[in-house]
């Protein structure tokens, strides 16, 4: 059964001090529903990681269905760490494929600014293994730094080899009105940046921020002929897990789940990775971008860093990546991030990406990760 | 208060007590009920020597709540001599530079105070320090 | 005041006992006395020692006791931790006011659950108090092994004379049957009076002390009386001991007391660690003993006299057995702990030891 994305919506990513969780979520939901015209969602899947801890709010499915005027639809929250957005999309696809519903709305929302101070670090650290990682003072950023340190030790790339990922992301962010950072940065700025968790500097980590994004899915055969926007099909979906704790992996530098999820998604789509026109990776940290390229098979092991250059991943590059700024420049609103990636890919496939438009984009691959590919979920989107 | 979740792990936290798989001899830490090597049930206790090597390390500048007193602190992935890898803090570094491959040994140290810094329960745990007393490490091999 | 009519009596258990395993611990950080003097007296004051040991920010009496006890067990041959029937930790710096340090140590060493566990307090002689109790516990036949520990992370008020010396460290002793001992305990004798030379009231962070009153009526009176009574009841004298060690709050006191009792520098310098690590309080006398056991030869006799403010002294006579030389190789020597050294400045010390007002 063909499933299409009939509507998308997003809020700018940033610090929305004046807006509540339900308000930013509604903004994205409303936009997606408006685009879908006559199609009304029969189910709501909310992607969120931190609301229970930072806003004191669980039970988001009912809250948001009620707030958005969808009282009566089935609704629940899907959580898979940073991969929550992909997981919620996949749950919606499965519900439609199984015939339980004809349409489903997916909204990813995160509100980090409801708490201020180190409590936010603690909340983020709950996505690690609480008893064996977080208790030792590890944070997601420090965990990424452990991988980066080891990567440089094993493969000896040049000192600032990963800097190209954030530099290109920032350049792309400049053309995205919803991005948190809309300004290109110079290489010298990257090289001078302060350490967050050495060797990981402040530009190697995407900023955590507020945001909400939504997509409305529907059975292709139910599409009204007068759908306002060109439909984009979801042609492949793949999900996989690895160990939650990085120390339990035989090879921590192999994003095994990332590889598996891509293989599964490509297989379902019936294409090879060479047929993918652009790739939205989960660049929460520069090192994730390199390891994701290696896991996907685009780069050999230890060579992912060589892709951190304009000719490779720029908008006119071999495989454009982070086309709307990626997590680094658009911002990382955890539970919403996976949905933002899909929304951005849809803009590219519809030809609505403005100054960031990739020429002839027909097939896009979107991958979100929970932790260092502890969960990995990949979707392949295509335009007709 | 989170007393129980620390209390129930005290053997592994204080003394690196893990498991050995009765089927394939794999040494397991942290203890889990299914052997990660062969998939069979594993519940036999095994005391790790506490010796290992640094696989990777980093320094945490932005500490979460409860860890600010110790910041900046160094966290590492430590490959234990018996096989498993653990995440743990490095301690007693003094001015010593950490390097990947550096031999380390387990010590039991104060990790944090649970809840209030002055009034909360103290959480103790394994940490690792640069291997000292080479005379003894050689004798044990 | 009239002299007491009481007669000294040697404490000897019916079943001979000894030290079956021993282990020291000294944290690696050092604060030079000159650095303290720089902050408080413009570097002009005299200093009672060279430098003192300072615990790292993640160390306390429990963690330090665990390491010393691990060393003691490593030297104890094949003793099954589950056969140890008491874990007694003497300290005036237990991490909790209420909740035993000893249960943490017992758990970490695998000594739980069929054991006694308790914390002892008698200022600087809490460790030897636990050792005498352990002698009785094993000597009565109630148990085969008992673990006695003296360990402290002592604090002196910033700028006070005590700040120069209040240090961290100690030792652990596994007491067991004499036939398994590295050193047989020939007997002990205690001398105790109510003498308020030094104290810390409940809920107070820093102790008070009687300044010059801590000398003659307290330290010297009790150590000398205990040692002399010990000589009397055992029919021994300084010439019978190859080594002697006394509570060491500074360099001057133990040197003077040893000399006045008739000991030569050669006899007491091995155990005199205070110039390089400071006063480790409950650990002070017994870490001196561990340094002696690291070098003593079979047949050597050792006199140890502790002192705890408040006040009292425990005297012990020990005789080294032929098991010691091989067995002591199994754990770090006291001098190895002292040799590993990272110097810190007063600011770091102030942060680590909770001397900065953060809220």
């Amino acid at each position: 059964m063909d499933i299409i994305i009939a509507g998308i919506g997003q809020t700018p990513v940033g610090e929305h001090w004046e807006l509540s969780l339900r308000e930013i979520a509604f903004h994205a939901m409303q936009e997606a529903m408006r685009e879908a015209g006559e199609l009304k969602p029969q189910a709501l899947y909310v992607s969120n990681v931190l609301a229970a801890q930072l806003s004191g709010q669980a039970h988001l499915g009912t809250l948001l269905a009620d707030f958005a005027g969808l009282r009566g639809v089935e609704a629940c929250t899907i959580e898979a760490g940073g991969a929550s957005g992909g997981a919620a999309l996949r749950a919606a696809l499965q519900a439609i494929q199984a015939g339980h519903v004809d349409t489903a709305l997916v909204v990813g929302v995160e509100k980090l600014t409801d708490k201020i101070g180190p409590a936010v670090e603690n909340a983020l650290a709950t996505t690690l293994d609480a008893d064996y990682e977080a208790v030792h003072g590890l944070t997601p950023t420090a965990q990424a730094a452990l991988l980066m340190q080891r990567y440089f030790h094993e493969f000896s790339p040049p000192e600032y080899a990963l800097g190209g990922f954030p530099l290109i992301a920032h350049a792309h962010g400049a053309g995205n009105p919803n991005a948190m950072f809309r300004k290109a940065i110079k290489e010298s700025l990257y090289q001078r940046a302060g350490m967050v968790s050495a060797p990981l500097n402040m530009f190697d980590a995407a900023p955590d921020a507020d945001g909400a994004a939504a997509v409305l899915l529907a059975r292709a055969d139910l599409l009204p002929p007068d759908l306002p926007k060109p439909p984009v099909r979801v042609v492949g979906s793949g999900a996989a897990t690895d160990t939650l704790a990085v120390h339990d992996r035989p090879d921590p530098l192999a994003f095994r789940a990332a590889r598996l999820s891509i293989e599964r998604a490509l297989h379902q789509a019936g294409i090879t990775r060479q047929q993918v026109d652009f790739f939205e990776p989960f660049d929460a940290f520069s090192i994730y971008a390199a390891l994701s390229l290696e896991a996907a098979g685009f780069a050999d092991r230890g060579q992912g860093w060589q892709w951190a250059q304009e000719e490779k991943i720029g908008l006119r590059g071999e495989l454009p990546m982070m086309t709307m700024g990626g997590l680094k420049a658009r911002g990382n609103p955890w539970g919403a991030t996976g949905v933002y990636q899909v929304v951005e890919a849809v803009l590219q496939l519809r030809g609505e990406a403005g100054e960031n438009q990739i020429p002839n984009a027909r097939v896009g691959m979107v991958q979100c990760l929970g932790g260092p590919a502890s969960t990995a979920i990949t979707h392949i989107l295509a335009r007709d | 208060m989170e007393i129980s979740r620390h209390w129930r792990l005290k053997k592994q936290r204080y003394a690196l007590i893990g498991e050995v798989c009765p089927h394939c001899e794999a040494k397991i830490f942290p203890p889990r009920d299914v052997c990660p090597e062969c998939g069979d049930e594993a519940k036999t206790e095994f005391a790790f020597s506490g010796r290992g090597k640094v696989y990777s390390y980093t320094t945490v500048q932005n500490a979460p709540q409860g860890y600010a007193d110790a910041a900046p602190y160094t966290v590492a992935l430590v490959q234990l001599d018996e096989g498993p890898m653990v995440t743990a803090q490095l301690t007693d570094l003094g001015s010593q530079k950490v390097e990947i491959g550096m031999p380390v040994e387990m010590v039991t140290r104060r990790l944090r105070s649970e809840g209030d810094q002055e009034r909360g329960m103290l959480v103790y745990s394994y940490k690792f320090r640069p291997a000292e007393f080479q005379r003894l490490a050689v004798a044990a091999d | 005041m009239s002299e007491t009519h009481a007669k000294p009596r040697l404490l000897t258990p019916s079943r001979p006992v000894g030290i079956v395993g021993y282990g020291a611990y000294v944290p690696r950080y050092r604060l030079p006395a000159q650095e303290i003097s720089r902050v408080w007296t413009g570097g002009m004051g005299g200093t009672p020692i060279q430098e003192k040991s300072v615990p790292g920010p993640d160390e306390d009496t429990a963690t330090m006791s665990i390491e010393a006890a691990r060393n003691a067990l490593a030297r104890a041959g094949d003793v099954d931790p589950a056969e140890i029937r008491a874990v007694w930790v003497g300290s005036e710096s237990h991490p909790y006011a209420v909740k035993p340090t000893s249960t943490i140590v017992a758990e970490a060493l695998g000594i739980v659950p069929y054991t006694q566990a308790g914390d002892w307090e008698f200022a600087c002689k809490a460790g030897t108090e636990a050792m005498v109790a352990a002698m009785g516990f094993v000597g009565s036949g109630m148990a085969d092994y008992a673990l006695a520990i003296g360990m402290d992370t002592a604090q002196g008020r910033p700028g006070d004379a005590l700040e120069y010396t209040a240090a961290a460290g100690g030792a652990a002793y596994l007491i067991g049957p004499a036939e398994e001992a590295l050193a047989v305990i020939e007997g002990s004798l205690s001398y105790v009076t109510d003498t308020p030379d030094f104290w810390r009231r409940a809920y107070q962070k820093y102790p008070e002390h009687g300044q010059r009153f801590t000398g003659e009526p307290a330290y010297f009176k009790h150590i000398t009386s205990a040692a002399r009574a010990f000589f009397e009841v055992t029919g021994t004298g300084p010439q019978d001991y190859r080594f002697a060690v006394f509570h060491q709050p500074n360099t001057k006191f133990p040197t003077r007391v040893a000399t006045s009792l008739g000991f030569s520098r050669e006899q007491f310098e091995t155990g005199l660690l205070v110039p390089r690590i400071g006063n480790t309080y409950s650990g002070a006398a017994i870490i001196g003993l561990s340094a002696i056991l690291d070098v003593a030869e079979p047949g050597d006799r050792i006199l140890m006299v502790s002192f705890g403010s408040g006040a009292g002294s425990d005297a012990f006579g020990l005789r080294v057995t032929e098991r010691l030389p091989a067995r002591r190789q199994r754990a770090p020597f006291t001098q190895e702990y002292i040799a590993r050294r990272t110097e810190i400045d007063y600011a770091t010390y102030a942060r680590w030891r909770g001397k900065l007002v953060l809220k």
Side-chain angles (χ1 to χ4, degrees):
Chain A
M1 179 198 303
D2 277 357
I3 299 177
I4 59 101
I5 295 175
I8 57 172
Q10 61 178 322
T11 66
V13 177
E15 295 177 326
H16 292 294
W17 300 109
E18 70 287 0
L19 295 175
S20 69
L21 180 136
R22 69 187 79 186
E23 287 168 329
I24 55 172
F26 176 62
H27 176 85
M29 293 163 75
Q30 191 182 35
E31 224 177 77
M33 288 191 285
R34 229 181 245 149
E35 280 199 1
E38 298 298 304
L39 290 171
K40 297 295 171 215
Q42 295 167 5
L44 173 66
Y45 292 93
V46 180
S47 163
N48 176 270
V49 185
L50 306 164
Q53 299 175 75
L54 297 184
S55 308
Q57 180 68 64
H59 216 157
L60 295 186
T62 299
L63 175 85
L64 296 180
D66 178 18
F67 194 71
L70 298 173
R71 213 173 298 174
V73 302
E74 69 169 281
C76 66
T77 306
I78 304 280
E79 190 272 312
S84 299
L89 177 65
R90 196 169 149 83
L93 293 170
Q94 287 167 336
I96 295 171
Q97 251 148 10
H100 296 309
V101 292
D102 299 324
T103 58
L105 181 61
V106 176
V107 61
V109 59
E110 210 67 74
K111 187 83 184 84
L112 280 104
T113 52
D114 273 358
K115 271 222 169 59
I116 299 164
V120 177
E121 285 291 337
N122 292 59
L124 300 176
T126 61
T127 57
L128 308 175
D129 186 324
D131 286 343
Y132 299 101
E133 292 185 316
V135 77
H136 296 289
L138 193 74
T139 60
T141 306
Q143 190 189 50
L146 289 172
L147 295 178
M148 187 171 166
Q149 183 90 267
R150 183 71 195 184
Y151 188 85
F152 276 79
H153 172 80
E154 281 199 24
F155 307 119
S156 308
E159 188 178 359
Y160 302 113
L162 299 181
F165 292 116
L167 291 178
I168 291 166
H170 273 264
H172 294 180
N176 177 4
N178 291 304
M180 184 168 179
F181 295 122
R182 302 196 54 201
K183 192 161 174 263
I185 57 166
K186 289 204 177 82
E187 191 171 11
S188 58
L189 195 63
Y190 175 83
Q191 297 182 356
R192 286 201 315 268
M195 289 295 162
V196 180
S197 200
L200 190 150
N201 75 28
M202 60 174 290
F203 285 110
D204 287 315
D208 303 316
D210 300 340
V215 297
L216 199 149
L217 302 173
R219 284 172 55 169
D221 54 345
L222 295 180
L223 285 190
D226 57 344
L227 193 70
K229 294 285 185 180
V232 167
R233 277 185 303 135
V234 183
V235 295
S237 173
T241 57
D242 202 331
T243 65
L244 181 59
V246 163
H247 56 235
D248 285 331
R249 298 181 190 176
D251 180 3
L253 294 182
F255 272 12
R256 186 170 171 274
R259 175 173 60 76
L260 285 174
S261 76
I262 286 178
E263 283 172 5
R264 288 167 188 172
L266 288 172
H267 180 260
Q268 195 178 65
I271 61 169
T272 66
R273 66 170 181 270
Q274 283 76 22
Q275 290 170 269
V276 170
D277 296 319
F278 66 98
F279 177 31
E280 294 297 343
F282 198 80
D283 60 324
F285 304 100
S286 311
I287 183 67
Y288 280 19
L291 293 177
S292 297
L293 279 161
E294 295 173 22
F298 290 116
D300 288 340
R301 181 179 163 81
Q303 302 301 312
W305 61 271
Q306 294 190 352
W307 278 62
Q309 47 182 313
E310 188 65 30
E311 312 84 82
K312 288 282 198 184
I313 61 171
L315 295 173
R316 301 284 179 276
E318 194 177 313
L319 179 73
M321 282 172 48
M322 305 160 304
T323 65
M324 301 303 283
L327 278 65
K328 180 66 199 75
R330 175 231 304 125
N332 182 12
W334 283 59
T337 298
V339 186
Y340 270 98
Q341 292 176 298
V342 171
V343 165
E344 291 161 359
V346 168
L347 289 174
Q348 289 289 0
L349 294 168
R350 283 180 183 171
E352 293 179 349
E355 59 184 274
N356 284 20
Q357 185 61 48
I358 304 163
N360 303 316
R362 301 191 60 86
V363 178
M365 182 162 79
V366 175
Q367 181 175 62
C368 56
L369 305 179
S374 304
T375 302
I377 301 179
T378 305
H379 284 97
I380 314 281
L381 310 180
R383 75 162 190 226
D384 289 322
Chain B
M1 278 201 272
E2 299 180 346
I3 299 171
S4 58
R5 54 173 284 241
H6 296 296
W7 163 80
R8 79 173 70 93
L9 299 176
K10 58 189 181 291
K11 276 167 94 165
Q12 9 175 319
R13 287 261 178 84
Y14 293 1
L16 272 185
I17 305 293
E19 289 166 338
V20 56
C21 175
H23 310 287
C24 75
E25 298 291 308
K27 310 298 190 294
I28 306 164
F29 193 92
R32 38 170 84 208
D33 293 343
V34 176
C35 172
E37 299 296 326
C38 73
D40 273 342
E41 192 181 55
K43 284 187 169 174
T44 314
E45 266 188 19
F46 176 81
F48 282 79
S49 68
R51 286 195 302 273
K53 289 190 169 61
V54 172
Y55 177 87
S56 192
Y57 65 95
T58 187
T59 302
V60 176
Q61 304 286 349
N62 302 333
Q65 229 163 19
Y67 299 85
D69 273 13
Y73 52 87
T74 301
V75 185
L77 293 170
V78 173
Q79 183 99 54
L80 300 173
D81 280 2
E82 294 88 347
M85 188 135 72
V86 296
T87 300
Q89 287 187 21
L90 299 185
T91 188
D92 278 4
L93 291 170
S95 51
Q96 189 163 346
K97 189 177 159 14
V98 184
E99 281 173 6
I100 288 175
M102 182 172 96
V104 292
E105 62 192 13
M106 187 274 273
V107 289
T108 309
R109 292 293 171 90
R110 198 190 273 199
L111 191 56
R112 59 170 298 179
S113 171
E114 198 279 311
D116 183 272
Q117 200 60 31
E118 299 295 321
R119 295 160 59 201
M121 178 195 74
L122 297 168
V123 179
Y124 294 92
S125 166
Y126 51 85
K127 293 188 183 182
F128 291 80
R129 72 179 172 205
E132 315 235 27
F133 315 120
Q134 290 306 311
R135 175 176 69 77
L136 296 164
V138 172
D141 284 340
Chain C
M1 211 183 344
S2 63
E3 279 296 303
T4 174
H5 67 280
K7 292 278 175 284
R9 184 188 162 199
L10 187 68
L11 302 177
T12 47
S14 47
R15 175 199 196 190
V17 301
I19 293 166
V20 169
Y22 73 96
Y25 182 72
V26 182
R28 75 169 301 127
Y29 301 99
R30 301 285 179 277
L31 180 64
Q34 201 57 45
E35 171 70 359
I36 301 174
S37 168
R38 177 181 72 81
V39 173
W40 292 108
T41 67
M44 300 305 282
T47 56
I49 58 169
Q50 294 162 34
E51 59 185 14
K52 67 171 185 174
S53 63
V54 177
D58 59 357
E59 295 192 277
D60 62 24
T61 292
T63 68
M64 292 162 55
S65 294
I66 288 168
E67 181 152 348
R70 283 187 177 135
N71 289 336
L73 259 67
R75 287 190 170 112
D78 302 321
V79 174
D80 178 355
E83 292 299 315
I84 298 170
R85 296 283 176 242
V87 178
W88 288 326
V89 182
S91 182
E92 60 153 79
S93 47
H94 291 289
Y96 290 92
V98 177
K99 195 222 160 287
T101 304
S102 51
T103 52
I104 304 169
V105 178
E107 190 76 51
L109 273 290
I111 298 171
V112 293
Y114 300 111
T115 182
Q116 298 295 115
D119 294 354
W120 297 69
E121 193 283 309
F122 190 150
C124 295
K125 89 170 185 81
T128 54
E129 193 79 35
M131 284 176 73
V132 176
M135 286 168 60
F137 210 49
V138 175
S140 68
M142 280 172 67
D144 284 337
Y145 305 102
L147 184 60
I149 300 171
M151 192 66 68
D152 258 306
T153 57
Q155 289 261 38
R157 178 175 287 109
D160 187 90
L162 279 184
E163 192 182 30
Y164 288 89
T165 54
Y173 288 88
L174 186 66
I175 307 300
E179 59 270 22
E180 297 174 29
L182 312 182
V184 172
I185 303 175
E186 296 182 317
S188 83
L189 184 147
S190 296
Y191 184 93
V192 170
T193 71
D194 181 22
T195 302
D197 59 318
F198 167 104
W199 62 86
R200 178 162 60 83
R201 293 277 299 275
Y203 311 115
Q204 297 303 303
K205 183 165 182 174
Y206 299 116
E208 306 296 323
H209 59 88
Q211 301 185 31
R212 290 192 58 74
F213 184 73
T214 61
E216 286 307 333
Y219 180 89
F220 292 105
K221 166 79 172 168
H222 290 79
I223 290 197
T224 307
S225 301
R228 294 229 161 96
F230 189 83
F231 288 153
E232 181 190 330
V233 298
T234 55
T236 61
Q239 70 286 351
D240 295 309
Y241 299 91
R242 185 173 165 211
F243 298 103
V245 59
F246 305 92
H247 176 56
Q248 35 192 335
N250 51 41
T251 312
K252 190 162 66 179
F253 279 25
T255 303
R256 199 177 119 196
V257 86
T259 310
S260 74
L261 285 168
F263 289 97
S264 66
R265 176 160 289 277
E266 201 184 1
Q267 287 168 293
F268 67 78
E269 70 185 357
T270 306
L272 189 68
L273 308 178
V274 63
R276 292 169 65 207
I277 61 171
N279 178 5
T280 56
Y281 285 55
S282 301
I286 60 178
I287 197 170
L289 176 62
S290 75
I292 291 168
L293 291 173
D294 287 343
V295 298
E297 295 302 323
D300 286 348
R301 292 175 82 179
I302 305 164
L303 178 76
M304 171 170 74
V305 188
S306 65
F307 170 75
S309 288
S313 283
D314 300 322
F316 298 78
L318 302 106
R319 186 191 295 270
V320 173
T321 73
E322 71 290 346
R323 288 179 201 86
L324 179 62
R327 210 74 78 66
R328 66 184 167 214
Q329 303 294 335
R330 296 189 186 180
F333 298 130
T334 312
Q335 289 292 352
E336 288 179 312
Y337 274 113
I338 295 173
R340 43 165 230 161
R341 173 185 180 281
T342 300
E343 192 175 314
I344 58 172
D345 61 11
Y346 196 90
T348 304
Y349 164 76
R351 180 184 173 190
W352 287 1
R353 299 301 286 147
K355 294 174 196 294
L356 299 177
V357 179
L358 296 175
K359 52 188 168 191

